[in-house]
Short mmCIF file of all heavy atoms in Angstrom, two decimals:
data_model
loop_
_atom_site.label_atom_id
_atom_site.label_comp_id
_atom_site.label_asym_id
_atom_site.label_seq_id
_atom_site.Cartn_x
_atom_site.Cartn_y
_atom_site.Cartn_z
N MET A 114 38.50 -2.85 14.83
CA MET A 114 37.83 -1.74 14.22
C MET A 114 36.51 -1.59 15.08
O MET A 114 35.90 -2.56 15.44
CB MET A 114 37.49 -2.06 12.85
CG MET A 114 37.42 -0.75 11.95
SD MET A 114 36.65 -1.03 10.36
CE MET A 114 37.81 -1.59 9.29
N ALA A 115 36.18 -0.42 15.35
CA ALA A 115 34.85 -0.12 16.10
C ALA A 115 33.67 -0.33 15.21
O ALA A 115 33.69 -0.16 13.96
CB ALA A 115 34.85 1.32 16.57
N GLU A 116 32.67 -0.86 15.80
CA GLU A 116 31.46 -1.07 15.09
C GLU A 116 30.72 0.22 14.69
O GLU A 116 30.73 1.09 15.59
CB GLU A 116 30.46 -1.95 15.87
CG GLU A 116 30.90 -3.42 16.02
CD GLU A 116 29.86 -4.24 16.68
OE1 GLU A 116 28.67 -3.95 16.51
OE2 GLU A 116 30.29 -5.17 17.32
N PRO A 117 30.12 0.33 13.53
CA PRO A 117 29.43 1.68 13.22
C PRO A 117 28.23 1.82 14.16
O PRO A 117 27.55 0.83 14.47
CB PRO A 117 29.04 1.48 11.78
CG PRO A 117 29.13 -0.04 11.51
CD PRO A 117 30.08 -0.57 12.44
N LYS A 118 27.95 3.00 14.42
CA LYS A 118 26.76 3.34 15.28
C LYS A 118 25.55 3.15 14.41
O LYS A 118 25.48 3.47 13.20
CB LYS A 118 26.80 4.79 15.81
CG LYS A 118 27.87 5.01 16.82
CD LYS A 118 27.70 6.48 17.29
CE LYS A 118 28.74 6.80 18.40
NZ LYS A 118 28.66 8.11 18.86
N PRO A 119 24.50 2.58 15.01
CA PRO A 119 23.24 2.43 14.31
C PRO A 119 22.75 3.75 13.89
O PRO A 119 22.79 4.76 14.71
CB PRO A 119 22.30 1.71 15.17
CG PRO A 119 22.98 1.74 16.56
CD PRO A 119 24.36 2.12 16.43
N LYS A 120 22.14 3.86 12.75
CA LYS A 120 21.55 5.13 12.30
C LYS A 120 20.18 5.41 12.85
O LYS A 120 19.77 6.57 12.98
CB LYS A 120 21.54 5.24 10.75
CG LYS A 120 22.86 5.16 10.16
CD LYS A 120 22.69 5.27 8.68
CE LYS A 120 24.13 4.91 8.01
NZ LYS A 120 25.09 5.90 7.91
N LEU A 121 19.48 4.39 13.23
CA LEU A 121 18.22 4.50 13.91
C LEU A 121 18.21 3.88 15.30
O LEU A 121 18.91 2.89 15.51
CB LEU A 121 17.12 3.81 13.09
CG LEU A 121 16.82 4.36 11.71
CD1 LEU A 121 15.78 3.37 10.92
CD2 LEU A 121 16.22 5.70 11.84
N THR A 122 17.38 4.41 16.17
CA THR A 122 17.20 3.71 17.48
C THR A 122 16.09 2.69 17.31
O THR A 122 15.32 2.76 16.43
CB THR A 122 16.84 4.77 18.54
OG1 THR A 122 15.53 5.36 18.24
CG2 THR A 122 17.83 5.83 18.65
N TYR A 123 15.98 1.86 18.30
CA TYR A 123 14.82 0.92 18.31
C TYR A 123 13.53 1.58 18.32
O TYR A 123 12.65 1.19 17.53
CB TYR A 123 14.99 0.00 19.51
CG TYR A 123 13.91 -1.02 19.58
CD1 TYR A 123 13.98 -2.17 18.87
CD2 TYR A 123 12.82 -0.85 20.48
CE1 TYR A 123 13.06 -3.15 18.85
CE2 TYR A 123 11.80 -1.78 20.47
CZ TYR A 123 11.89 -2.93 19.72
OH TYR A 123 10.93 -3.83 19.81
N THR A 124 13.35 2.57 19.08
CA THR A 124 12.09 3.39 19.17
C THR A 124 11.71 3.94 17.81
O THR A 124 10.61 3.89 17.37
CB THR A 124 12.26 4.50 20.24
OG1 THR A 124 12.54 3.92 21.52
CG2 THR A 124 10.94 5.23 20.31
N GLU A 125 12.76 4.54 17.10
CA GLU A 125 12.53 5.03 15.76
C GLU A 125 12.16 3.96 14.78
O GLU A 125 11.21 4.17 13.90
CB GLU A 125 13.77 5.79 15.25
CG GLU A 125 14.05 7.12 15.99
CD GLU A 125 15.40 7.66 15.62
OE1 GLU A 125 16.37 6.85 15.38
OE2 GLU A 125 15.51 8.84 15.56
N ALA A 126 12.74 2.85 14.89
CA ALA A 126 12.38 1.67 14.02
C ALA A 126 10.92 1.18 14.24
O ALA A 126 10.27 1.05 13.31
CB ALA A 126 13.37 0.52 14.26
N VAL A 127 10.55 1.15 15.52
CA VAL A 127 9.13 0.76 15.86
C VAL A 127 8.12 1.80 15.26
O VAL A 127 7.09 1.51 14.66
CB VAL A 127 8.89 0.60 17.35
CG1 VAL A 127 7.51 0.49 17.76
CG2 VAL A 127 9.72 -0.54 17.77
N ARG A 128 8.48 3.12 15.37
CA ARG A 128 7.63 4.18 14.87
C ARG A 128 7.59 4.09 13.39
O ARG A 128 6.44 4.17 12.78
CB ARG A 128 8.19 5.54 15.27
CG ARG A 128 7.40 6.70 14.72
CD ARG A 128 8.10 8.11 15.01
NE ARG A 128 9.41 8.15 14.55
CZ ARG A 128 9.80 8.40 13.37
NH1 ARG A 128 8.92 8.52 12.37
NH2 ARG A 128 11.10 8.46 13.01
N ILE A 129 8.67 3.85 12.74
CA ILE A 129 8.62 3.72 11.26
C ILE A 129 7.81 2.49 10.81
O ILE A 129 7.05 2.54 9.88
CB ILE A 129 10.04 3.64 10.76
CG1 ILE A 129 10.73 5.04 10.88
CG2 ILE A 129 10.06 3.26 9.21
CD1 ILE A 129 12.30 4.98 10.69
N ARG A 130 8.04 1.31 11.54
CA ARG A 130 7.19 0.19 11.19
C ARG A 130 5.67 0.46 11.36
O ARG A 130 4.84 0.10 10.42
CB ARG A 130 7.59 -0.95 12.12
CG ARG A 130 6.88 -2.27 11.63
CD ARG A 130 6.52 -3.21 12.77
NE ARG A 130 5.79 -2.55 13.79
CZ ARG A 130 5.95 -2.87 15.13
NH1 ARG A 130 6.70 -3.80 15.49
NH2 ARG A 130 5.19 -2.23 16.07
N ASP A 131 5.28 1.16 12.41
CA ASP A 131 3.86 1.46 12.61
C ASP A 131 3.39 2.38 11.50
O ASP A 131 2.25 2.20 10.92
CB ASP A 131 3.67 2.18 13.96
CG ASP A 131 3.90 1.21 15.13
OD1 ASP A 131 3.88 -0.08 14.85
OD2 ASP A 131 4.06 1.63 16.29
N GLU A 132 4.23 3.37 11.09
CA GLU A 132 3.80 4.26 10.00
C GLU A 132 3.69 3.49 8.67
O GLU A 132 2.73 3.77 7.90
CB GLU A 132 4.79 5.40 9.91
CG GLU A 132 4.72 6.45 10.97
CD GLU A 132 5.86 7.51 10.96
OE1 GLU A 132 6.57 7.45 9.97
OE2 GLU A 132 5.88 8.22 11.94
N ALA A 133 4.56 2.56 8.48
CA ALA A 133 4.52 1.84 7.23
C ALA A 133 3.25 0.95 7.20
O ALA A 133 2.58 0.79 6.13
CB ALA A 133 5.78 0.94 7.13
N LEU A 134 2.85 0.37 8.29
CA LEU A 134 1.61 -0.48 8.34
C LEU A 134 0.46 0.38 8.05
O LEU A 134 -0.42 0.08 7.36
CB LEU A 134 1.57 -1.17 9.68
CG LEU A 134 2.55 -2.28 9.96
CD1 LEU A 134 2.38 -2.76 11.44
CD2 LEU A 134 2.34 -3.41 9.01
N ASN A 135 0.41 1.65 8.63
CA ASN A 135 -0.65 2.55 8.35
C ASN A 135 -0.74 2.90 6.88
O ASN A 135 -1.81 2.92 6.31
CB ASN A 135 -0.56 3.78 9.23
CG ASN A 135 -1.68 4.73 9.09
OD1 ASN A 135 -2.83 4.33 8.98
ND2 ASN A 135 -1.38 6.04 9.16
N LEU A 136 0.44 3.11 6.34
CA LEU A 136 0.52 3.50 4.90
C LEU A 136 0.05 2.34 4.02
O LEU A 136 -0.64 2.51 2.99
CB LEU A 136 1.90 3.93 4.43
CG LEU A 136 2.30 5.33 5.03
CD1 LEU A 136 3.78 5.55 4.73
CD2 LEU A 136 1.46 6.42 4.54
N GLN A 137 0.37 1.09 4.42
CA GLN A 137 -0.08 -0.03 3.58
C GLN A 137 -1.57 -0.18 3.69
O GLN A 137 -2.24 -0.51 2.65
CB GLN A 137 0.57 -1.37 4.13
CG GLN A 137 2.08 -1.54 3.90
CD GLN A 137 2.61 -2.76 4.43
OE1 GLN A 137 2.04 -3.41 5.30
NE2 GLN A 137 3.85 -3.10 4.02
N GLU A 138 -2.15 0.02 4.82
CA GLU A 138 -3.63 0.01 4.98
C GLU A 138 -4.28 1.12 4.05
O GLU A 138 -5.30 0.84 3.41
CB GLU A 138 -4.04 0.24 6.36
CG GLU A 138 -3.76 -0.95 7.25
CD GLU A 138 -4.04 -0.73 8.80
OE1 GLU A 138 -4.61 0.35 9.07
OE2 GLU A 138 -3.63 -1.52 9.59
N GLN A 139 -3.74 2.33 4.11
CA GLN A 139 -4.25 3.29 3.18
C GLN A 139 -4.13 3.07 1.73
O GLN A 139 -5.00 3.25 1.00
CB GLN A 139 -3.52 4.71 3.52
CG GLN A 139 -3.83 5.26 4.85
CD GLN A 139 -3.03 6.57 5.08
OE1 GLN A 139 -2.87 7.33 4.21
NE2 GLN A 139 -2.60 6.77 6.28
N LEU A 140 -2.93 2.44 1.35
CA LEU A 140 -2.74 2.05 0.00
C LEU A 140 -3.74 0.99 -0.45
O LEU A 140 -4.34 1.05 -1.50
CB LEU A 140 -1.28 1.50 -0.16
CG LEU A 140 -0.98 0.99 -1.58
CD1 LEU A 140 -1.13 2.07 -2.63
CD2 LEU A 140 0.40 0.50 -1.59
N GLY A 141 -4.07 0.11 0.49
CA GLY A 141 -5.06 -0.95 0.12
C GLY A 141 -6.43 -0.36 -0.11
O GLY A 141 -7.19 -0.72 -1.05
N ARG A 142 -6.82 0.60 0.71
CA ARG A 142 -8.09 1.27 0.55
C ARG A 142 -8.17 2.09 -0.76
O ARG A 142 -9.12 2.11 -1.54
CB ARG A 142 -8.41 2.23 1.72
CG ARG A 142 -8.82 1.46 3.01
CD ARG A 142 -9.38 2.42 4.04
NE ARG A 142 -8.49 3.41 4.50
CZ ARG A 142 -7.62 3.28 5.43
NH1 ARG A 142 -7.53 2.15 6.15
NH2 ARG A 142 -6.78 4.32 5.84
N ILE A 143 -7.00 2.75 -1.06
CA ILE A 143 -6.93 3.55 -2.31
C ILE A 143 -7.11 2.64 -3.51
O ILE A 143 -7.78 2.89 -4.44
CB ILE A 143 -5.65 4.29 -2.32
CG1 ILE A 143 -5.74 5.45 -1.34
CG2 ILE A 143 -5.34 4.92 -3.75
CD1 ILE A 143 -4.38 6.11 -1.09
N VAL A 144 -6.27 1.48 -3.54
CA VAL A 144 -6.31 0.47 -4.67
C VAL A 144 -7.72 -0.08 -4.83
O VAL A 144 -8.19 -0.26 -5.86
CB VAL A 144 -5.21 -0.48 -4.50
CG1 VAL A 144 -5.41 -1.73 -5.43
CG2 VAL A 144 -3.84 0.09 -4.61
N THR A 145 -8.37 -0.47 -3.68
CA THR A 145 -9.68 -1.02 -3.72
C THR A 145 -10.72 0.04 -4.24
O THR A 145 -11.52 -0.37 -5.16
CB THR A 145 -10.12 -1.43 -2.28
OG1 THR A 145 -9.26 -2.45 -1.86
CG2 THR A 145 -11.52 -2.00 -2.31
N GLU A 146 -10.59 1.24 -3.85
CA GLU A 146 -11.47 2.24 -4.35
C GLU A 146 -11.27 2.45 -5.91
O GLU A 146 -12.23 2.65 -6.65
CB GLU A 146 -11.32 3.53 -3.66
CG GLU A 146 -12.20 4.66 -4.03
CD GLU A 146 -11.90 5.90 -3.13
OE1 GLU A 146 -12.37 5.82 -1.96
OE2 GLU A 146 -11.41 6.88 -3.66
N ALA A 147 -10.03 2.49 -6.37
CA ALA A 147 -9.71 2.62 -7.75
C ALA A 147 -10.28 1.43 -8.57
O ALA A 147 -10.84 1.61 -9.61
CB ALA A 147 -8.21 2.76 -7.96
N ARG A 148 -10.22 0.25 -7.96
CA ARG A 148 -10.72 -0.98 -8.71
C ARG A 148 -12.22 -1.01 -8.80
O ARG A 148 -12.81 -1.33 -9.75
CB ARG A 148 -10.16 -2.14 -7.91
CG ARG A 148 -10.62 -3.53 -8.55
CD ARG A 148 -9.75 -3.75 -9.84
NE ARG A 148 -10.08 -5.01 -10.35
CZ ARG A 148 -10.58 -5.27 -11.56
NH1 ARG A 148 -10.75 -4.27 -12.38
NH2 ARG A 148 -10.89 -6.41 -11.96
N ASN A 149 -12.85 -0.56 -7.69
CA ASN A 149 -14.33 -0.62 -7.63
C ASN A 149 -14.98 0.64 -8.18
O ASN A 149 -16.14 0.61 -8.55
CB ASN A 149 -14.74 -0.78 -6.15
CG ASN A 149 -14.33 -2.07 -5.60
OD1 ASN A 149 -14.09 -3.03 -6.23
ND2 ASN A 149 -14.30 -2.12 -4.21
N GLY A 150 -14.13 1.73 -8.28
CA GLY A 150 -14.76 2.98 -8.78
C GLY A 150 -15.43 3.78 -7.65
O GLY A 150 -15.75 3.24 -6.55
N THR A 151 -15.66 5.02 -7.88
CA THR A 151 -16.45 5.86 -6.97
C THR A 151 -17.60 6.57 -7.70
O THR A 151 -17.69 6.35 -8.92
CB THR A 151 -15.53 6.96 -6.35
OG1 THR A 151 -15.05 7.76 -7.41
CG2 THR A 151 -14.30 6.37 -5.65
N ASP A 152 -18.31 7.37 -7.00
CA ASP A 152 -19.36 8.12 -7.72
C ASP A 152 -18.86 9.05 -8.77
O ASP A 152 -19.48 9.16 -9.78
CB ASP A 152 -20.14 9.00 -6.68
CG ASP A 152 -20.92 8.08 -5.68
OD1 ASP A 152 -21.23 7.01 -5.96
OD2 ASP A 152 -21.26 8.66 -4.57
N GLU A 153 -17.61 9.60 -8.54
CA GLU A 153 -17.02 10.51 -9.58
C GLU A 153 -16.25 9.76 -10.66
O GLU A 153 -16.02 10.31 -11.74
CB GLU A 153 -16.16 11.47 -8.91
CG GLU A 153 -16.88 12.39 -7.84
CD GLU A 153 -16.90 11.76 -6.49
OE1 GLU A 153 -15.94 11.01 -6.09
OE2 GLU A 153 -17.89 11.98 -5.73
N GLU A 154 -15.69 8.62 -10.29
CA GLU A 154 -14.73 7.98 -11.28
C GLU A 154 -15.16 6.57 -11.56
O GLU A 154 -15.69 5.85 -10.69
CB GLU A 154 -13.32 7.92 -10.64
CG GLU A 154 -12.70 9.33 -10.41
CD GLU A 154 -11.36 9.33 -9.90
OE1 GLU A 154 -10.70 8.24 -9.94
OE2 GLU A 154 -10.81 10.35 -9.43
N LYS A 155 -14.78 6.21 -12.79
CA LYS A 155 -15.11 4.77 -13.23
C LYS A 155 -14.14 3.83 -12.61
O LYS A 155 -13.00 4.27 -12.30
CB LYS A 155 -15.07 4.67 -14.78
CG LYS A 155 -16.12 5.52 -15.50
CD LYS A 155 -16.15 5.20 -16.93
CE LYS A 155 -14.81 5.58 -17.60
NZ LYS A 155 -14.82 5.41 -19.11
N PRO A 156 -14.43 2.54 -12.45
CA PRO A 156 -13.48 1.55 -11.93
C PRO A 156 -12.29 1.49 -12.88
O PRO A 156 -12.42 1.71 -14.16
CB PRO A 156 -14.25 0.24 -12.03
CG PRO A 156 -15.70 0.69 -11.98
CD PRO A 156 -15.78 1.99 -12.70
N ARG A 157 -11.13 1.23 -12.37
CA ARG A 157 -9.90 1.11 -13.17
C ARG A 157 -9.52 -0.35 -13.27
O ARG A 157 -9.74 -1.08 -12.29
CB ARG A 157 -8.75 1.89 -12.51
CG ARG A 157 -8.89 3.31 -12.65
CD ARG A 157 -7.72 4.07 -12.06
NE ARG A 157 -7.71 5.52 -12.21
CZ ARG A 157 -8.35 6.33 -11.45
NH1 ARG A 157 -9.04 5.90 -10.34
NH2 ARG A 157 -8.28 7.66 -11.74
N SER A 158 -8.87 -0.80 -14.26
CA SER A 158 -8.38 -2.14 -14.35
C SER A 158 -7.08 -2.30 -13.51
O SER A 158 -6.40 -1.29 -13.13
CB SER A 158 -8.06 -2.50 -15.85
OG SER A 158 -6.89 -1.78 -16.17
N VAL A 159 -6.79 -3.49 -13.14
CA VAL A 159 -5.53 -3.83 -12.38
C VAL A 159 -4.36 -3.32 -13.16
O VAL A 159 -3.38 -2.68 -12.60
CB VAL A 159 -5.48 -5.28 -12.09
CG1 VAL A 159 -4.01 -5.62 -11.50
CG2 VAL A 159 -6.54 -5.70 -11.06
N ALA A 160 -4.29 -3.42 -14.53
CA ALA A 160 -3.23 -3.04 -15.29
C ALA A 160 -3.09 -1.51 -15.19
O ALA A 160 -1.97 -0.97 -15.11
CB ALA A 160 -3.38 -3.41 -16.73
N LYS A 161 -4.24 -0.72 -15.27
CA LYS A 161 -4.13 0.73 -15.20
C LYS A 161 -3.69 1.21 -13.89
O LYS A 161 -2.83 2.09 -13.77
CB LYS A 161 -5.55 1.23 -15.55
CG LYS A 161 -5.71 2.78 -15.33
CD LYS A 161 -5.02 3.55 -16.42
CE LYS A 161 -5.44 5.03 -16.28
NZ LYS A 161 -4.23 5.91 -16.28
N ILE A 162 -4.13 0.56 -12.81
CA ILE A 162 -3.71 0.93 -11.42
C ILE A 162 -2.19 0.58 -11.32
O ILE A 162 -1.52 1.47 -10.77
CB ILE A 162 -4.49 0.09 -10.36
CG1 ILE A 162 -5.99 0.54 -10.35
CG2 ILE A 162 -3.88 0.44 -8.98
CD1 ILE A 162 -6.81 -0.47 -9.57
N ALA A 163 -1.78 -0.46 -11.85
CA ALA A 163 -0.38 -0.84 -11.77
C ALA A 163 0.56 0.18 -12.46
O ALA A 163 1.55 0.64 -11.96
CB ALA A 163 -0.11 -2.21 -12.35
N ARG A 164 0.06 0.58 -13.67
CA ARG A 164 0.84 1.63 -14.43
C ARG A 164 0.90 2.96 -13.73
O ARG A 164 1.91 3.59 -13.54
CB ARG A 164 0.19 1.78 -15.80
CG ARG A 164 0.60 0.75 -16.78
CD ARG A 164 0.20 1.21 -18.19
NE ARG A 164 -1.21 1.55 -18.39
CZ ARG A 164 -2.23 0.70 -18.65
NH1 ARG A 164 -1.95 -0.59 -18.77
NH2 ARG A 164 -3.44 1.12 -18.74
N ASP A 165 -0.28 3.33 -13.13
CA ASP A 165 -0.41 4.60 -12.42
C ASP A 165 0.46 4.70 -11.18
O ASP A 165 1.05 5.70 -10.87
CB ASP A 165 -1.83 4.97 -12.01
CG ASP A 165 -2.77 5.24 -13.19
OD1 ASP A 165 -2.20 5.47 -14.33
OD2 ASP A 165 -4.01 5.29 -13.01
N LEU A 166 0.54 3.59 -10.44
CA LEU A 166 1.29 3.52 -9.19
C LEU A 166 2.70 2.92 -9.45
O LEU A 166 3.44 2.88 -8.45
CB LEU A 166 0.49 2.62 -8.20
CG LEU A 166 -0.79 3.15 -7.75
CD1 LEU A 166 -1.42 2.16 -6.73
CD2 LEU A 166 -0.74 4.49 -7.08
N GLN A 167 3.01 2.55 -10.60
CA GLN A 167 4.33 2.01 -10.93
C GLN A 167 4.65 0.74 -10.08
O GLN A 167 5.68 0.52 -9.55
CB GLN A 167 5.46 3.00 -10.83
CG GLN A 167 5.27 4.25 -11.75
CD GLN A 167 6.34 5.23 -11.60
OE1 GLN A 167 7.21 5.14 -10.72
NE2 GLN A 167 6.27 6.27 -12.43
N PHE A 168 3.62 -0.13 -9.99
CA PHE A 168 3.68 -1.47 -9.28
C PHE A 168 3.50 -2.44 -10.37
O PHE A 168 3.06 -2.23 -11.51
CB PHE A 168 2.63 -1.60 -8.32
CG PHE A 168 2.77 -0.80 -6.99
CD1 PHE A 168 1.68 -0.55 -6.24
CD2 PHE A 168 3.99 -0.37 -6.58
CE1 PHE A 168 1.84 0.18 -5.03
CE2 PHE A 168 4.16 0.32 -5.35
CZ PHE A 168 3.02 0.58 -4.62
N THR A 169 3.73 -3.71 -10.01
CA THR A 169 3.44 -4.77 -10.95
C THR A 169 1.93 -5.13 -10.75
O THR A 169 1.39 -4.87 -9.74
CB THR A 169 4.26 -6.08 -10.63
OG1 THR A 169 3.95 -6.50 -9.37
CG2 THR A 169 5.77 -5.76 -10.77
N GLU A 170 1.32 -5.79 -11.75
CA GLU A 170 -0.04 -6.21 -11.60
C GLU A 170 -0.17 -7.26 -10.50
O GLU A 170 -1.18 -7.24 -9.72
CB GLU A 170 -0.52 -6.75 -12.90
CG GLU A 170 -0.82 -5.83 -13.95
CD GLU A 170 -1.34 -6.41 -15.27
OE1 GLU A 170 -2.30 -7.20 -15.21
OE2 GLU A 170 -0.86 -5.92 -16.31
N GLY A 171 0.85 -8.10 -10.28
CA GLY A 171 0.81 -9.11 -9.21
C GLY A 171 0.72 -8.45 -7.92
O GLY A 171 0.09 -8.89 -6.96
N ARG A 172 1.53 -7.35 -7.69
CA ARG A 172 1.49 -6.54 -6.46
C ARG A 172 0.08 -5.89 -6.19
O ARG A 172 -0.40 -5.96 -5.06
CB ARG A 172 2.60 -5.48 -6.40
CG ARG A 172 2.60 -4.59 -5.16
CD ARG A 172 2.89 -5.43 -3.92
NE ARG A 172 2.98 -4.58 -2.80
CZ ARG A 172 2.31 -4.82 -1.68
NH1 ARG A 172 1.49 -5.87 -1.60
NH2 ARG A 172 2.35 -3.97 -0.68
N ILE A 173 -0.52 -5.38 -7.23
CA ILE A 173 -1.90 -4.80 -7.04
C ILE A 173 -2.90 -5.92 -6.66
O ILE A 173 -3.71 -5.67 -5.80
CB ILE A 173 -2.30 -4.12 -8.41
CG1 ILE A 173 -1.38 -2.95 -8.66
CG2 ILE A 173 -3.75 -3.68 -8.29
CD1 ILE A 173 -1.32 -1.89 -7.67
N ARG A 174 -2.80 -7.09 -7.31
CA ARG A 174 -3.71 -8.20 -6.95
C ARG A 174 -3.44 -8.62 -5.50
O ARG A 174 -4.39 -8.94 -4.76
CB ARG A 174 -3.48 -9.36 -7.91
CG ARG A 174 -3.98 -9.11 -9.33
CD ARG A 174 -3.85 -10.18 -10.21
NE ARG A 174 -3.87 -9.85 -11.61
CZ ARG A 174 -5.03 -9.46 -12.34
NH1 ARG A 174 -6.10 -9.42 -11.55
NH2 ARG A 174 -4.90 -9.18 -13.58
N GLN A 175 -2.22 -8.63 -5.06
CA GLN A 175 -1.84 -8.97 -3.74
C GLN A 175 -2.47 -7.95 -2.81
O GLN A 175 -2.98 -8.36 -1.76
CB GLN A 175 -0.36 -8.97 -3.55
CG GLN A 175 0.17 -9.38 -2.19
CD GLN A 175 1.67 -9.33 -2.07
OE1 GLN A 175 2.33 -8.43 -2.70
NE2 GLN A 175 2.20 -10.27 -1.38
N ILE A 176 -2.41 -6.62 -3.08
CA ILE A 176 -3.01 -5.71 -2.28
C ILE A 176 -4.50 -5.81 -2.19
O ILE A 176 -5.13 -5.67 -1.16
CB ILE A 176 -2.58 -4.26 -2.72
CG1 ILE A 176 -1.10 -3.97 -2.57
CG2 ILE A 176 -3.50 -3.18 -2.09
CD1 ILE A 176 -0.59 -2.73 -3.29
N LEU A 177 -5.14 -6.07 -3.32
CA LEU A 177 -6.56 -6.26 -3.39
C LEU A 177 -7.04 -7.42 -2.56
O LEU A 177 -7.99 -7.42 -1.87
CB LEU A 177 -7.05 -6.43 -4.80
CG LEU A 177 -7.04 -5.15 -5.67
CD1 LEU A 177 -7.31 -5.50 -7.14
CD2 LEU A 177 -8.06 -4.18 -5.17
N ARG A 178 -6.25 -8.56 -2.61
CA ARG A 178 -6.53 -9.77 -1.87
C ARG A 178 -6.49 -9.45 -0.28
O ARG A 178 -7.28 -10.04 0.47
CB ARG A 178 -5.63 -10.87 -2.10
CG ARG A 178 -5.99 -11.69 -3.34
CD ARG A 178 -5.21 -12.97 -3.49
NE ARG A 178 -3.74 -12.79 -3.44
CZ ARG A 178 -2.99 -12.60 -4.45
NH1 ARG A 178 -3.56 -12.64 -5.71
NH2 ARG A 178 -1.66 -12.54 -4.38
N GLY A 179 -5.72 -8.47 0.09
CA GLY A 179 -5.60 -8.16 1.52
C GLY A 179 -6.73 -7.26 2.00
O GLY A 179 -6.80 -6.99 3.22
N GLN A 180 -7.53 -6.80 1.06
CA GLN A 180 -8.67 -5.81 1.39
C GLN A 180 -9.96 -6.53 1.40
O GLN A 180 -10.34 -7.04 0.27
CB GLN A 180 -8.59 -4.66 0.51
CG GLN A 180 -7.38 -3.77 0.54
CD GLN A 180 -7.25 -3.16 1.99
OE1 GLN A 180 -8.10 -2.57 2.44
NE2 GLN A 180 -6.08 -3.43 2.51
N PRO A 181 -10.74 -6.61 2.46
CA PRO A 181 -12.00 -7.35 2.54
C PRO A 181 -13.00 -6.74 1.45
O PRO A 181 -13.78 -7.51 0.88
CB PRO A 181 -12.47 -7.24 3.96
CG PRO A 181 -11.50 -6.33 4.66
CD PRO A 181 -10.31 -6.07 3.72
N ASP A 182 -13.00 -5.43 1.27
CA ASP A 182 -14.03 -4.81 0.44
C ASP A 182 -13.80 -5.35 -1.06
O ASP A 182 -14.82 -5.42 -1.74
CB ASP A 182 -13.84 -3.29 0.45
CG ASP A 182 -14.28 -2.76 1.78
OD1 ASP A 182 -14.89 -3.44 2.54
OD2 ASP A 182 -13.98 -1.56 2.07
N ALA A 183 -12.57 -5.53 -1.43
CA ALA A 183 -12.34 -5.94 -2.86
C ALA A 183 -12.98 -7.39 -3.15
O ALA A 183 -13.44 -7.60 -4.20
CB ALA A 183 -10.81 -5.96 -3.08
N GLU A 184 -12.98 -8.32 -2.05
CA GLU A 184 -13.46 -9.61 -2.37
C GLU A 184 -14.98 -9.60 -2.25
O GLU A 184 -15.61 -10.54 -2.76
CB GLU A 184 -12.87 -10.48 -1.31
CG GLU A 184 -11.34 -10.63 -1.49
CD GLU A 184 -10.75 -11.55 -0.37
OE1 GLU A 184 -11.51 -12.09 0.41
OE2 GLU A 184 -9.55 -11.72 -0.40
N ALA A 185 -15.56 -8.63 -1.66
CA ALA A 185 -17.02 -8.61 -1.44
C ALA A 185 -17.72 -8.27 -2.84
O ALA A 185 -18.82 -8.68 -3.02
CB ALA A 185 -17.47 -7.58 -0.40
N LYS A 186 -16.98 -7.57 -3.69
CA LYS A 186 -17.60 -7.10 -4.89
C LYS A 186 -17.41 -8.08 -6.05
O LYS A 186 -16.40 -8.77 -6.17
CB LYS A 186 -17.14 -5.74 -5.31
CG LYS A 186 -17.75 -4.68 -4.45
CD LYS A 186 -17.74 -3.40 -5.02
CE LYS A 186 -18.52 -2.41 -4.23
NZ LYS A 186 -18.77 -1.21 -4.82
#
């Protein structure tokens, strides 16, 4: 039996990985901003962020640990 053709090329996989890393960084900044609050919005609890983003609280805490701004406050 012939092997199935890959659906993605290596170049496409690298591009997708780079985009995913960029999105993870953006998500970290967004979660940190939600946790710390902004001039317009009050800080949100980890539980509220988790509900809003449909993540677990553990995942939100993991994201916050990865963001230097979250630990500074």
Side-chain angles (χ1 to χ4, degrees):
M114 214 198 275
E116 289 187 29
K118 289 185 179 179
K120 296 184 192 275
L121 293 174
T122 65
Y123 179 79
T124 303
E125 291 170 324
V127 169
R128 178 186 53 79
I129 290 168
R130 186 213 52 214
D131 291 344
E132 289 174 4
L134 291 173
N135 184 35
L136 290 173
Q137 286 179 347
E138 290 174 7
Q139 289 180 40
L140 177 61
R142 286 193 299 272
I143 290 166
V144 169
T145 300
E146 185 176 287
R148 182 73 175 125
N149 295 336
T151 64
D152 292 338
E153 299 88 31
E154 297 184 14
K155 297 188 297 185
R157 290 181 174 88
S158 70
V159 169
K161 174 73 172 128
I162 296 167
R164 283 192 305 272
D165 290 347
L166 296 178
Q167 299 179 354
F168 286 158
T169 63
E170 289 183 42
R172 177 65 179 126
I173 296 299
R174 291 183 198 288
Q175 183 182 39
I176 292 167
L177 287 169
R178 279 194 302 270
Q180 297 298 309
D182 294 344
E184 294 176 7
K186 287 200 171 193

